[in-house]
């Protein structure tokens, strides 16, 4: 597993974040987490965006969620509820991927 952890601040409304990579041939999932606070373990804060592309036999969805400190995980959203994209997970094991995240004010 390869983990990137670094600062992306200041992230502002209207910005676009692009994540590119390649899923390993044996990946079970790819997780992208955008956290508030600092990344030194002192004040991690909330997970503003959790995105998980899953490759298990019984779950090939893209899951999105938010984790609020003190309140826990919010309601999970899955790839299949994104209209008009009612298709299977486009991120594949062993394949290159590109995820574009547009930062706005909506929840």
């Amino acid at each position: 597993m390869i983990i990137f952890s670094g600062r992306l601040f200041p992230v502002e409304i209207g910005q676009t974040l692009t994540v590119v990579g390649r899923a390993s041939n044996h990946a079970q999932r790819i997780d992208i987490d955008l956290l508030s606070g600092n990344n030194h373990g002192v004040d991690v804060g909330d997970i503003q965006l959790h995105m998980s592309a899953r490759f298990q036999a019984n779950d090939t969805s893209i899951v999105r969620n938010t984790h609020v400190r003190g309140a826990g995980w919010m309601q999970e959203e899955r790839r299949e509820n994104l209209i008009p994209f009612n298709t299977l997970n486009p991120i594949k094991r062993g394949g290159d991927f590109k995820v574009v995240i547009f930062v706005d004010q909506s929840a």
Side-chain angles (χ1 to χ4, degrees), residues 11-15 101-107:
V11 176
E12 298 176 357
I13 294 169
Q15 286 184 313
I101 301 167
F102 179 74
V103 180
D104 70 9
Q105 284 185 309
S106 64

Side-chain angles (χ1 to χ4, degrees), residues 6-27:
R7 292 179 165 222
L8 298 174
F9 72 91
V11 176
E12 298 176 357
I13 294 169
Q15 286 184 313
T16 301
L17 306 174
T18 302
V19 179
V20 294
R22 174 174 289 182
S24 79
N25 290 326
H26 305 290

Side-chain angles (χ1 to χ4, degrees), residues 3-50:
I3 298 175
F4 168 80
S5 177
R7 292 179 165 222
L8 298 174
F9 72 91
V11 176
E12 298 176 357
I13 294 169
Q15 286 184 313
T16 301
L17 306 174
T18 302
V19 179
V20 294
R22 174 174 289 182
S24 79
N25 290 326
H26 305 290
Q28 294 298 307
R29 62 198 295 163
I30 293 175
D31 292 334
I32 298 171
D33 292 322
L34 299 180
L35 291 78
S36 63
N38 69 43
N39 66 342
H40 299 291
V42 177
D43 179 22
V44 174
D46 300 330
I47 300 174
Q48 301 292 325
L49 172 66
H50 166 75

Side-chain angles (χ1 to χ4, degrees), residues 13-103:
I13 294 169
Q15 286 184 313
T16 301
L17 306 174
T18 302
V19 179
V20 294
R22 174 174 289 182
S24 79
N25 290 326
H26 305 290
Q28 294 298 307
R29 62 198 295 163
I30 293 175
D31 292 334
I32 298 171
D33 292 322
L34 299 180
L35 291 78
S36 63
N38 69 43
N39 66 342
H40 299 291
V42 177
D43 179 22
V44 174
D46 300 330
I47 300 174
Q48 301 292 325
L49 172 66
H50 166 75
M51 190 212 84
S52 180
R54 300 184 179 173
F55 307 121
Q56 292 94 350
N58 63 342
D59 187 2
T60 58
S61 59
I62 294 180
V63 176
R64 297 164 318 282
N65 208 337
T66 299
H67 187 274
V68 178
R69 188 172 37 184
W73 288 102
M74 300 294 104
Q75 183 171 346
E76 188 174 87
E77 299 175 347
R78 292 184 166 262
R79 169 83 165 115
E80 52 268 21
N81 64 11
L82 290 174
I83 306 296
F85 305 111
N86 292 327
T87 60
L88 298 174
N89 181 352
I91 301 175
K92 305 294 181 205
R93 281 185 182 145
D96 295 334
F97 66 88
K98 178 178 180 180
V99 176
V100 179
I101 301 167
F102 179 74
V103 180

